[in-house]
Amino acid sequence: MKKFVSIRRKLISKVMVIISLIFISILAAVLVKDVRSLNRNLKKSQETIEAELIAKGTTLTRNNATALTRMVEDNSFGDIRRLVSETVKNDRDIAYGIFMGPDRRPWAFADKSDTDGTPISLEPLDDALSNWAASVQSVDNSRLSKTSSLSNVPAADTATKNIIEFAAPVFIEGEIAGTIRYAFSTESMKARIDEVKSDAADNRNLTLFIISLLGILSLVGSYISIRVIAVHIVRPIGKLVDSTKIIAQGNYRESVEAETNDEIGSLANDVDVMRQSIRELTENLEQKVQDRTAALSKANEEIEKLNKKLSEENLRLGAELDVARQIQEMVLPSIEEQRAVKGLDIAGVMRPADEVGGDYYDVLSNGAGVKIGIGDVTGHGLESGVMMLMAQTAIRTLQEAGEADPARLLDIVNRTLYQNIKRMHADKNMTLSIVDYKDGNAVLSGQHEELLLIRNDGQGTFIETINLGFPIGLEGEIGDLLHSTSFHLNKGDGFVLFTDGITEAENMNGEYYGPERLKNAVCANWDKTAQEIEKAVLRDIETHIGNQTVYDDITLVVVKQL
């Protein structure tokens, strides 16, 4: 059984998850937007600070170049050195200053540690900026340049690499007379940029803190609001659950009230209707149980009477069927009758599927010859057994009356059974074949299963009967459809008559026994007596059937010429 979880808890948890996801999404969007804005502002501030430094260096260098023009013209080396020294000394961003002549030799040099303006070396400077200065030919080519290279700069502070150099040529009457260079340190610029970054980070953190605080306050407020709303929504459900528990305990008198006019209220009304129905059923249940018990008792008495009557009827029917079976067995040819036929070895057997079978076989001797018949009534049971007895009686009567024509005999039997079947209102008919034998000659008449003819060497062939007649009892007149065929038997020859209960016997796989297997079983034992052949065939049939149910009568007649 699953753990119980209240609807209120489910509602609160799911709504809070949704609100949290929305808040996280908004927070992420705001943070992304804020970070992008801060990065843009930071980049803009950095560019502004760099531009200010470049503008400052450019302006100062140009102004110095203008001031140095008269000093160079007057060869006032002391004034040049003082100007460079004072400029380096008074501006904290300048790392050093150099004034060099047209031949790139330094006339004045000053840095933060040495501000008297005296150059340390008079060797020509060989760096990119000096080479650029030497390449300027006229005022028209005058331009400013900046570089971070400190190679071959005399007395430069090589430990300080973060500088930007500015240079401006000094012209006298259109000819270059020297170049003033100032190196500005980027430390202050970087400090200002770092300060801007720090301020931006503080603003970002403050924004994040404010948004987080507002989000937490919103979540708390949402949680409280959702709890209040959930309680309002779930309260009617809780009361409905309490009412159903009371009903489950067997108290059907407490009514279920609907507090709302929504689906929950509709459900409460339905539960109340159900409660009233259960109450009515419960209050009337005891009386209904008593009434039903009395009705069942009366019905039981009726059933007992019917069972007793049915038992008596079954006993009576069983006795009648037993009598019918005994009568049927009594009219079958006995072993003594079969052995009494001169010149033939005869063995016959009939095994009914029910108490009373529908198969027929007979051996009727008239002194000069013998009439051997076999037939199969449709279905099996009492009606089929009665029809078999009628056929046997009719054939025996005609035999005793001296009727020798097989076609006329079968025609009379057909008309007799046809009228009796109509009187019985039965839906029955039968196949019937008769073999008239005398002195080795045999005449086969009537429609039934094939006749299996066996010669003394054990070879067998089938003789079809489909064109020798018509089912008995199906039509009133069949005289024109009755025909005969004849064959001769020598010593050791014979024939076998059988019903479809043999050839259509099924095993557990639904496979038929079949006429070919029957022929093989007969031929394999043909050197034996008729009774031994009969038993061998029956054993082979039983082996084929196994545990399968037998659905049809089994009849077999073996006739062998002595």
Side-chain angles (χ1 to χ4, degrees):
M1 184 177 179
K2 295 183 178 180
K3 183 180 179 182
F4 175 79
V5 180
S6 66
I7 296 177
R8 182 176 64 183
R9 179 176 295 179
K10 290 180 180 179
L11 180 63
I12 293 174
S13 61
K14 291 182 178 180
V15 173
M16 287 303 298
V17 168
I18 294 173
I19 293 177
S20 299
L21 292 175
I22 294 173
F23 168 72
I24 292 173
S25 300
I26 294 174
L27 178 61
V30 171
L31 286 177
V32 170
K33 182 179 179 181
D34 185 59
V35 168
R36 290 180 177 177
S37 177
L38 289 175
N39 289 336
R40 285 195 300 269
N41 293 336
L42 181 62
K43 184 177 180 180
K44 186 176 180 181
S45 299
Q46 185 173 350
E47 292 174 350
T48 300
I49 293 172
E50 290 179 354
E52 290 177 355
L53 181 62
I54 291 172
K56 177 182 176 181
T58 301
T59 303
L60 186 144
T61 306
R62 285 180 175 178
N63 291 338
N64 268 242
T66 302
L68 287 169
T69 301
R70 186 64 177 268
M71 296 179 186
V72 172
E73 187 177 6
D74 295 338
N75 292 322
S76 301
F77 294 107
D79 294 336
I80 294 173
R81 290 172 181 171
R82 280 193 296 274
L83 176 62
V84 173
S85 297
E86 290 296 326
T87 302
V88 172
K89 181 178 178 181
N90 294 331
D91 196 324
R92 63 177 184 177
D93 290 334
I94 300 177
Y96 60 85
I98 302 175
F99 179 80
M100 60 184 184
D103 56 358
R104 296 181 296 175
R105 296 178 183 276
W107 289 10
F109 173 82
D111 59 11
K112 294 297 184 185
S113 61
D114 184 7
T115 58
D116 63 356
T118 304
I120 299 173
S121 172
L122 297 178
E123 292 296 324
L125 298 179
D126 185 16
D127 59 272
L129 196 59
S130 299
N131 294 330
W132 166 82
S135 66
V136 177
Q137 299 298 323
S138 64
V139 177
D140 295 335
N141 293 331
S142 176
R143 63 187 184 275
L144 298 178
S145 175
K146 57 182 177 179
T147 178
S148 58
S149 173
L150 298 177
S151 60
N152 204 22
V153 177
D157 184 5
T158 56
T160 304
K161 298 293 184 179
N162 297 319
I163 62 173
I164 300 176
E165 280 196 316
F166 298 88
V170 177
F171 290 95
I172 298 176
E173 296 180 356
E175 296 291 335
I176 188 169
T179 302
I180 182 66
R181 297 169 56 177
Y182 286 107
F184 280 75
S185 173
T186 60
E187 293 298 328
S188 61
M189 179 184 70
K190 290 184 177 181
R192 290 179 62 189
I193 293 174
D194 290 340
E195 184 179 356
V196 170
K197 289 182 179 179
S198 178
D199 292 341
D202 292 341
N203 291 332
R204 182 183 60 214
N205 293 336
L206 178 61
T207 302
L208 178 62
F209 172 76
I210 294 173
I211 293 175
S212 300
L213 180 61
L214 292 175
I216 293 172
L217 294 176
S218 299
L219 288 176
V220 172
S222 300
Y223 176 76
I224 295 173
S225 300
I226 292 169
R227 281 188 63 90
V228 173
I229 296 172
V231 170
H232 179 73
I233 294 175
V234 174
R235 184 174 62 244
I237 300 177
K239 290 189 176 182
L240 181 58
V241 171
D242 294 338
S243 298
T244 56
K245 288 180 179 180
I246 293 174
I247 295 173
Q249 293 172 358
N251 185 354
Y252 306 115
R253 298 184 178 278
E254 294 289 336
S255 62
V256 180
E257 297 181 358
E259 294 187 351
T260 59
N261 58 351
D262 52 14
E263 290 85 351
I264 299 174
S266 177
L267 178 61
N269 291 328
D270 293 340
V271 172
D272 193 61
V273 172
M274 179 186 68
R275 176 194 63 80
Q276 295 175 12
S277 300
I278 295 175
R279 178 181 177 184
E280 293 175 0
L281 290 173
T282 303
E283 291 175 350
N284 298 327
L285 181 61
E286 185 175 352
Q287 182 61 41
K288 289 183 178 181
V289 169
Q290 292 176 356
D291 295 342
R292 182 60 58 87
T293 302
L296 290 174
S297 178
K298 185 177 179 180
N300 189 50
E301 291 177 1
E302 294 293 332
I303 292 173
E304 288 179 355
K305 291 178 181 179
L306 290 174
N307 283 336
K308 184 177 180 181
K309 186 177 181 180
L310 183 60
S311 297
E312 294 173 352
E313 187 70 16
N314 284 338
L315 289 174
R316 184 183 65 79
L317 290 175
E320 292 178 356
L321 288 173
D322 188 57
V323 170
R325 179 180 57 79
Q326 292 180 28
I327 294 173
Q328 188 179 51
E329 291 176 353
M330 289 170 62
V331 300
L332 290 175
S334 64
I335 296 177
E336 290 75 12
E337 289 181 90
Q338 297 172 15
R339 289 177 179 175
V341 178
K342 294 181 180 181
L344 295 178
D345 182 13
I346 302 175
V349 63
M350 195 273 283
R351 292 182 178 178
D354 288 334
E355 291 86 346
V356 180
D359 280 4
Y360 158 78
Y361 89 92
D362 206 351
V363 179
L364 301 174
S365 179
N366 57 7
V370 62
K371 190 183 294 294
I372 303 172
I374 189 166
D376 185 2
V377 181
T378 54
H380 39 82
L382 183 58
E383 284 187 350
S384 298
V386 170
M387 188 170 176
M388 171 266 191
L389 290 173
M390 289 190 295
Q392 192 275 343
T393 303
I395 295 172
R396 185 63 179 260
T397 301
L398 291 170
Q399 170 81 356
E400 294 298 326
E403 180 58 63
D405 187 344
R408 192 160 49 246
L409 184 144
L410 288 172
D411 186 36
I412 296 171
V413 172
N414 176 71
R415 283 186 275 120
T416 302
L417 266 63
Y418 179 76
Q419 296 299 328
N420 283 346
I421 290 171
K422 285 179 62 178
R423 179 175 291 180
M424 292 166 59
H425 301 289
D427 185 18
K428 297 288 182 181
N429 62 79
M430 71 179 292
T431 59
L432 178 62
S433 288
I434 295 176
V435 178
D436 288 290
Y437 173 84
K438 182 179 180 181
D439 298 331
N441 296 314
V443 178
L444 174 62
S445 307
Q447 186 187 93
H448 184 63
E449 302 296 322
E450 305 100 314
L451 179 144
L452 178 57
L453 179 62
I454 308 295
R455 296 305 178 182
N456 57 11
D457 59 356
Q459 297 298 315
T461 58
F462 287 104
I463 299 177
E464 290 288 345
T465 65
I466 189 68
N467 296 321
L468 300 181
F470 196 75
I472 302 299
L474 194 61
E475 294 290 341
E477 295 293 338
I478 62 170
D480 295 338
L481 302 175
L482 298 172
H483 304 283
S484 300
T485 186
S486 60
F487 55 90
H488 182 78
L489 297 179
N490 296 315
K491 183 178 180 180
D493 294 342
F495 59 88
V496 176
L497 301 173
F498 56 91
T499 60
D500 61 0
I502 292 178
T503 54
E504 295 181 2
E506 296 184 23
N507 61 11
M508 296 300 292
N509 296 325
E511 300 169 340
Y512 288 145
Y513 183 74
E516 287 300 321
R517 182 164 178 174
L518 172 63
K519 182 177 75 171
N520 294 336
V522 172
C523 293
N525 295 277
W526 191 247
D527 59 338
K528 300 176 183 178
T529 64
Q531 189 171 15
E532 289 173 339
I533 295 171
E534 171 198 290
K535 291 181 179 179
V537 172
L538 292 177
R539 283 196 301 271
D540 191 55
I541 294 172
E542 291 171 353
T543 300
H544 173 78
I545 294 174
N547 296 324
Q548 179 65 280
T549 303
V550 179
Y551 296 103
D552 200 359
D553 306 331
I554 293 176
T555 301
L556 179 68
V557 180
V558 180
V559 180
K560 192 172 184 181
Q561 177 80 37
L562 295 175

